[in-house]
Amino acid sequence: MSLRFTKMHGLGNDFVVIDGRAPDFELDVARVRAIGDRYRGVGFDQLLTIEPARDPSCAFYYGIWNTDGSLAGQCGNGVRCVAAWLYRAGLMSMGDEARLESPSGPVSVKLLTATRVSVDMGEPDFDPKASHFDGGAPTIGVTLGQSPGPLAGTVVEFGVVSMGNPHAVVTVDDLRDPMLETVGPALTTHPRFADGVNAGFVHKLARDHLQLRVHERGAGWTQACGTGACAAMAVLHQRGEVDDSVQVDLPGGSLRIDWAGPGHTLWMTGPATFVFEGEWLDMDLSD
Protein backbone atom coordinates (compact mmCIF):
# COMPACT_ATOMS: atom_id res chain seq x y z
CA MET A 1 0.00 0.00 0.00
CA SER A 2 1.30 3.48 -0.87
CA LEU A 3 0.98 6.57 1.30
CA ARG A 4 1.04 10.16 0.05
CA PHE A 5 2.97 12.64 2.19
CA THR A 6 4.23 16.22 2.28
CA LYS A 7 7.70 17.10 3.55
CA MET A 8 7.77 20.38 5.50
CA HIS A 9 9.89 22.17 8.05
CA GLY A 10 9.69 24.97 10.57
CA LEU A 11 13.15 26.55 10.89
CA GLY A 12 14.77 23.23 9.96
CA ASN A 13 12.69 21.19 12.42
CA ASP A 14 11.45 18.83 9.71
CA PHE A 15 8.22 16.90 9.34
CA VAL A 16 6.45 14.35 7.22
CA VAL A 17 2.80 15.41 7.06
CA ILE A 18 0.19 12.77 6.17
CA ASP A 19 -3.49 13.26 5.39
CA GLY A 20 -5.21 10.85 7.76
CA ARG A 21 -8.79 12.00 7.27
CA ALA A 22 -9.94 8.82 5.47
CA PRO A 23 -12.00 6.43 7.66
CA ASP A 24 -9.63 3.50 6.97
CA PHE A 25 -6.43 5.43 7.80
CA GLU A 26 -3.95 3.43 9.90
CA LEU A 27 -0.40 4.05 11.05
CA ASP A 28 1.77 1.81 13.20
CA VAL A 29 5.13 2.13 14.94
CA ALA A 30 7.01 0.00 12.37
CA ARG A 31 5.90 2.20 9.49
CA VAL A 32 6.67 5.41 11.39
CA ARG A 33 10.20 4.20 12.12
CA ALA A 34 10.72 3.11 8.51
CA ILE A 35 9.58 6.46 7.09
CA GLY A 36 11.68 8.30 9.68
CA ASP A 37 14.93 6.55 8.69
CA ARG A 38 17.07 9.26 7.07
CA TYR A 39 19.08 6.73 5.06
CA ARG A 40 16.44 4.19 3.99
CA GLY A 41 13.28 6.24 4.33
CA VAL A 42 12.27 9.90 4.11
CA GLY A 43 13.56 11.20 7.43
CA PHE A 44 11.93 13.60 9.87
CA ASP A 45 12.08 14.94 13.41
CA GLN A 46 8.35 14.29 13.78
CA LEU A 47 5.61 12.78 11.65
CA LEU A 48 2.29 14.67 11.70
CA THR A 49 -1.08 13.17 10.84
CA ILE A 50 -4.07 15.37 10.01
CA GLU A 51 -7.25 13.61 11.08
CA PRO A 52 -10.92 14.34 11.84
CA ALA A 53 -11.33 16.15 15.16
CA ARG A 54 -12.44 14.18 18.21
CA ASP A 55 -13.46 17.44 19.90
CA PRO A 56 -16.50 18.96 18.11
CA SER A 57 -15.23 22.47 18.90
CA CYS A 58 -12.12 21.86 16.76
CA ALA A 59 -11.76 21.82 12.98
CA PHE A 60 -9.16 19.02 12.77
CA TYR A 61 -7.00 16.79 14.96
CA TYR A 62 -3.25 16.39 14.43
CA GLY A 63 -1.20 13.47 15.74
CA ILE A 64 2.54 13.68 16.48
CA TRP A 65 5.01 10.79 16.18
CA ASN A 66 8.75 10.88 16.97
CA THR A 67 11.32 9.09 14.83
CA ASP A 68 11.54 6.25 17.35
CA GLY A 69 7.79 5.58 16.97
CA SER A 70 6.81 7.17 20.27
CA LEU A 71 3.93 9.63 20.51
CA ALA A 72 4.37 13.29 21.45
CA GLY A 73 1.86 15.58 23.13
CA GLN A 74 2.66 18.83 21.35
CA CYS A 75 4.93 20.34 18.68
CA GLY A 76 5.06 24.09 18.20
CA ASN A 77 6.83 24.08 14.84
CA GLY A 78 4.60 21.22 13.73
CA VAL A 79 1.28 22.99 14.39
CA ARG A 80 2.42 25.89 12.20
CA CYS A 81 3.08 23.41 9.41
CA VAL A 82 -0.34 21.85 9.97
CA ALA A 83 -1.99 25.27 9.54
CA ALA A 84 -0.02 26.00 6.36
CA TRP A 85 -0.89 22.53 5.01
CA LEU A 86 -4.59 23.14 5.69
CA TYR A 87 -4.41 26.48 3.84
CA ARG A 88 -2.71 24.88 0.82
CA ALA A 89 -5.38 22.15 0.83
CA GLY A 90 -8.13 24.78 0.74
CA LEU A 91 -9.30 24.02 4.28
CA MET A 92 -8.30 27.38 5.81
CA SER A 93 -8.43 30.93 4.45
CA MET A 94 -5.88 33.73 4.81
CA GLY A 95 -6.44 35.66 8.02
CA ASP A 96 -8.47 32.83 9.53
CA GLU A 97 -8.19 31.85 13.17
CA ALA A 98 -8.89 28.13 13.57
CA ARG A 99 -9.13 25.85 16.59
CA LEU A 100 -7.17 22.62 16.15
CA GLU A 101 -7.02 19.60 18.43
CA SER A 102 -3.60 18.35 19.52
CA PRO A 103 -2.88 15.25 21.63
CA SER A 104 -2.56 17.57 24.65
CA GLY A 105 -5.70 19.60 23.91
CA PRO A 106 -7.05 22.40 21.68
CA VAL A 107 -4.84 25.15 20.22
CA SER A 108 -5.80 28.21 18.19
CA VAL A 109 -3.85 29.23 15.08
CA LYS A 110 -3.84 32.45 13.06
CA LEU A 111 -2.76 32.30 9.41
CA LEU A 112 -0.81 35.55 8.85
CA THR A 113 0.49 34.62 5.38
CA ALA A 114 0.59 31.39 3.40
CA THR A 115 3.74 30.38 5.29
CA ARG A 116 3.70 32.41 8.53
CA VAL A 117 1.53 31.37 11.45
CA SER A 118 0.83 32.47 15.03
CA VAL A 119 -0.17 29.79 17.52
CA ASP A 120 -1.84 30.13 20.91
CA MET A 121 0.18 27.61 22.89
CA GLY A 122 -1.88 27.96 26.07
CA GLU A 123 -0.64 29.04 29.48
CA PRO A 124 2.69 27.53 30.62
CA ASP A 125 2.22 25.01 33.43
CA PHE A 126 4.99 25.14 36.04
CA ASP A 127 3.59 22.33 38.19
CA PRO A 128 6.27 19.56 38.06
CA LYS A 129 3.45 17.00 37.98
CA ALA A 130 2.42 18.33 34.54
CA SER A 131 5.87 17.32 33.28
CA HIS A 132 5.77 13.99 35.17
CA PHE A 133 8.75 15.11 37.23
CA ASP A 134 9.15 13.87 40.79
CA GLY A 135 10.36 17.20 42.15
CA GLY A 136 8.53 19.77 44.22
CA ALA A 137 9.77 23.18 43.04
CA PRO A 138 9.94 25.04 39.71
CA THR A 139 13.76 25.38 39.80
CA ILE A 140 15.54 22.16 40.64
CA GLY A 141 19.02 20.67 40.50
CA VAL A 142 19.71 17.01 39.83
CA THR A 143 22.85 14.94 39.68
CA LEU A 144 23.09 13.49 36.18
CA GLY A 145 25.85 10.92 36.44
CA GLN A 146 27.10 8.29 38.83
CA SER A 147 30.73 7.36 39.34
CA PRO A 148 32.44 6.21 37.23
CA GLY A 149 31.29 8.15 34.15
CA PRO A 150 31.75 11.40 32.24
CA LEU A 151 29.01 13.16 34.26
CA ALA A 152 29.85 11.73 37.67
CA GLY A 153 28.72 14.23 40.29
CA THR A 154 27.54 16.78 37.70
CA VAL A 155 24.64 18.81 39.11
CA VAL A 156 22.45 20.66 36.60
CA GLU A 157 20.03 23.41 37.66
CA PHE A 158 16.92 23.81 35.51
CA GLY A 159 13.39 25.14 35.44
CA VAL A 160 10.53 22.73 34.74
CA VAL A 161 7.55 23.74 32.61
CA SER A 162 4.98 21.99 30.45
CA MET A 163 3.88 23.44 27.12
CA GLY A 164 1.70 20.39 26.46
CA ASN A 165 4.96 18.42 26.61
CA PRO A 166 7.64 18.48 29.33
CA HIS A 167 10.65 20.81 29.28
CA ALA A 168 13.71 21.29 31.46
CA VAL A 169 15.28 24.70 30.76
CA VAL A 170 18.95 25.25 31.63
CA THR A 171 20.59 28.70 31.42
CA VAL A 172 24.14 28.62 30.04
CA ASP A 173 26.89 31.10 29.19
CA ASP A 174 28.03 29.35 26.01
CA LEU A 175 25.88 27.21 23.71
CA ARG A 176 29.06 25.89 22.09
CA ASP A 177 30.27 24.26 25.31
CA PRO A 178 31.18 20.65 24.36
CA MET A 179 29.75 19.44 27.68
CA LEU A 180 26.23 20.07 26.33
CA GLU A 181 26.65 17.18 23.91
CA THR A 182 26.71 14.85 26.93
CA VAL A 183 24.43 16.77 29.28
CA GLY A 184 21.59 17.07 26.73
CA PRO A 185 20.98 13.34 26.21
CA ALA A 186 21.56 12.61 29.91
CA LEU A 187 18.96 15.15 31.02
CA THR A 188 16.47 14.07 28.35
CA THR A 189 16.46 10.52 29.71
CA HIS A 190 16.89 11.30 33.42
CA PRO A 191 14.86 8.80 35.49
CA ARG A 192 13.23 11.55 37.58
CA PHE A 193 11.20 12.43 34.46
CA ALA A 194 8.82 9.49 34.13
CA ASP A 195 8.21 10.10 30.40
CA GLY A 196 11.51 11.76 29.50
CA VAL A 197 11.90 15.49 28.92
CA ASN A 198 12.94 17.98 26.26
CA ALA A 199 16.19 19.58 27.43
CA GLY A 200 16.59 23.24 26.43
CA PHE A 201 19.82 25.22 26.86
CA VAL A 202 19.24 28.96 26.73
CA HIS A 203 21.68 31.89 26.57
CA LYS A 204 20.30 35.35 27.31
CA LEU A 205 21.53 38.10 24.98
CA ALA A 206 19.10 40.80 26.18
CA ARG A 207 15.70 41.10 27.86
CA ASP A 208 14.05 40.64 24.46
CA HIS A 209 16.55 38.28 22.80
CA LEU A 210 17.50 34.66 23.60
CA GLN A 211 19.57 31.93 21.95
CA LEU A 212 18.51 28.29 22.36
CA ARG A 213 19.48 24.70 21.60
CA VAL A 214 17.14 21.80 22.38
CA HIS A 215 17.73 18.08 22.76
CA GLU A 216 14.28 16.54 22.21
CA ARG A 217 13.13 13.28 23.73
CA GLY A 218 12.64 10.73 20.96
CA ALA A 219 14.39 12.89 18.34
CA GLY A 220 17.72 14.22 19.69
CA TRP A 221 19.24 17.60 18.80
CA THR A 222 16.98 19.55 16.47
CA GLN A 223 17.38 22.65 14.32
CA ALA A 224 14.42 24.20 16.10
CA CYS A 225 11.86 23.36 18.78
CA GLY A 226 8.79 25.57 18.99
CA THR A 227 7.60 24.38 22.39
CA GLY A 228 11.21 24.59 23.58
CA ALA A 229 11.36 28.27 22.59
CA CYS A 230 8.08 28.84 24.46
CA ALA A 231 9.40 27.00 27.51
CA ALA A 232 12.68 28.93 27.59
CA MET A 233 10.89 32.28 27.40
CA ALA A 234 8.32 31.22 30.01
CA VAL A 235 10.93 30.08 32.55
CA LEU A 236 12.99 33.26 32.21
CA HIS A 237 9.84 35.42 32.24
CA GLN A 238 8.71 33.76 35.47
CA ARG A 239 12.07 34.76 36.97
CA GLY A 240 11.63 38.36 35.79
CA GLU A 241 14.58 38.13 33.38
CA VAL A 242 12.85 38.89 30.06
CA ASP A 243 10.15 41.17 28.63
CA ASP A 244 6.68 40.17 27.41
CA SER A 245 7.85 39.82 23.79
CA VAL A 246 11.07 37.94 23.02
CA GLN A 247 12.96 36.82 19.91
CA VAL A 248 14.36 33.31 20.31
CA ASP A 249 17.18 32.32 17.95
CA LEU A 250 17.60 28.59 17.27
CA PRO A 251 20.09 26.88 14.93
CA GLY A 252 17.47 26.89 12.16
CA GLY A 253 16.17 30.46 12.59
CA SER A 254 14.12 32.72 14.86
CA LEU A 255 10.70 32.66 16.53
CA ARG A 256 8.78 35.41 18.31
CA ILE A 257 7.28 34.46 21.67
CA ASP A 258 4.74 36.70 23.40
CA TRP A 259 3.53 36.12 26.97
CA ALA A 260 2.18 38.65 29.47
CA GLY A 261 2.52 36.29 32.44
CA PRO A 262 0.17 34.22 34.63
CA GLY A 263 -3.47 34.36 33.59
CA HIS A 264 -2.55 34.86 29.93
CA THR A 265 -1.89 32.40 27.11
CA LEU A 266 1.45 32.36 25.30
CA TRP A 267 1.66 33.01 21.53
CA MET A 268 4.37 31.75 19.19
CA THR A 269 4.89 33.20 15.70
CA GLY A 270 7.11 31.77 12.98
CA PRO A 271 7.38 30.30 9.48
CA ALA A 272 6.20 27.03 7.95
CA THR A 273 7.94 25.84 4.77
CA PHE A 274 6.94 23.29 2.12
CA VAL A 275 9.79 21.17 0.72
CA PHE A 276 8.31 18.44 -1.50
CA GLU A 277 5.53 15.92 -1.85
CA GLY A 278 5.99 12.20 -2.37
CA GLU A 279 4.59 8.72 -2.14
CA TRP A 280 5.79 6.16 0.37
CA LEU A 281 5.83 2.67 -1.12
CA ASP A 282 5.51 0.10 1.63
CA MET A 283 8.21 -2.53 1.78
CA ASP A 284 8.89 -5.57 3.87
CA LEU A 285 9.74 -3.89 7.17
CA SER A 286 11.49 -7.03 8.40
CA ASP A 287 14.29 -6.58 5.84
Side-chain angles (χ1 to χ4, degrees):
M1 186 179 73
S2 63
L3 191 66
R4 297 292 304 176
F5 68 88
T6 304
K7 186 69 183 286
M8 302 184 69
H9 75 85
L11 301 180
N13 184 188
D14 65 331
F15 308 99
V16 163
V17 184
I18 295 175
D19 185 351
R21 291 175 294 157
D24 59 349
F25 174 73
E26 286 186 63
L27 195 63
D28 57 33
V29 171
R31 182 185 281 185
V32 171
R33 289 177 175 173
I35 297 173
D37 190 313
R38 294 194 181 274
Y39 299 100
R40 301 181 182 181
V42 181
F44 58 76
D45 289 323
Q46 279 83 31
L47 183 148
L48 308 172
T49 59
I50 298 175
E51 305 175 38
R54 284 73 157 163
D55 182 339
S57 72
C58 297
F60 297 95
Y61 172 89
Y62 61 95
I64 310 166
W65 300 71
N66 294 313
T67 51
D68 63 0
S70 62
L71 293 169
Q74 187 54 279
C75 180
N77 290 319
V79 66
R80 297 198 315 275
C81 288
V82 169
W85 187 98
L86 290 171
Y87 170 73
R88 192 179 187 197
L91 300 170
M92 277 187 69
S93 299
M94 192 65 64
D96 270 3
E97 180 171 338
R99 186 175 168 91
L100 304 177
E101 183 183 3
S102 76
S104 60
V107 298
S108 294
V109 297
K110 293 179 181 177
L111 194 64
L112 305 180
T113 71
T115 57
R116 189 165 181 82
V117 181
S118 286
V119 184
D120 182 349
M121 299 296 293
E123 185 172 351
D125 190 342
F126 293 96
D127 185 346
K129 293 179 181 178
S131 296
H132 299 126
F133 179 68
D134 68 350
T139 303
I140 306 163
V142 300
T143 302
L144 290 182
Q146 297 181 346
S147 184
L151 293 176
T154 301
V155 177
V156 175
E157 295 279 339
F158 54 85
V160 177
V161 64
S162 173
M163 294 301 312
N165 55 0
H167 290 269
V169 177
V170 184
T171 57
V172 297
D173 294 326
D174 185 2
L175 290 175
R176 297 169 297 180
D177 188 338
M179 179 65 78
L180 299 188
E181 301 300 323
T182 305
V183 173
L187 184 54
T188 298
T189 57
H190 197 278
R192 289 184 67 183
F193 287 93
D195 299 324
V197 71
N198 299 296
F201 301 90
V202 61
H203 174 56
K204 178 182 170 183
L205 298 173
R207 288 191 60 86
D208 62 353
H209 197 180
L210 305 175
Q211 289 180 319
L212 179 70
R213 290 183 66 196
V214 180
H215 189 275
E216 292 190 27
R217 57 175 185 170
W221 294 107
T222 59
Q223 286 292 297
C225 177
T227 56
C230 297
M233 187 276 196
V235 167
L236 268 62
H237 190 283
Q238 186 197 42
R239 297 174 182 168
E241 297 182 21
V242 296
D243 298 333
D244 291 352
S245 184
V246 172
Q247 176 179 313
V248 181
D249 296 339
L250 299 116
S254 299
L255 295 170
R256 192 185 79 232
I257 311 298
D258 296 284
W259 186 45
H264 300 272
T265 59
L266 179 151
W267 283 82
M268 170 195 61
T269 302
T273 304
F274 289 89
V275 183
F276 63 86
E277 292 184 338
E279 185 176 6
W280 172 260
L281 303 176
D282 267 345
M283 62 187 75
D284 184 353
L285 299 180
S286 64
D287 288 346

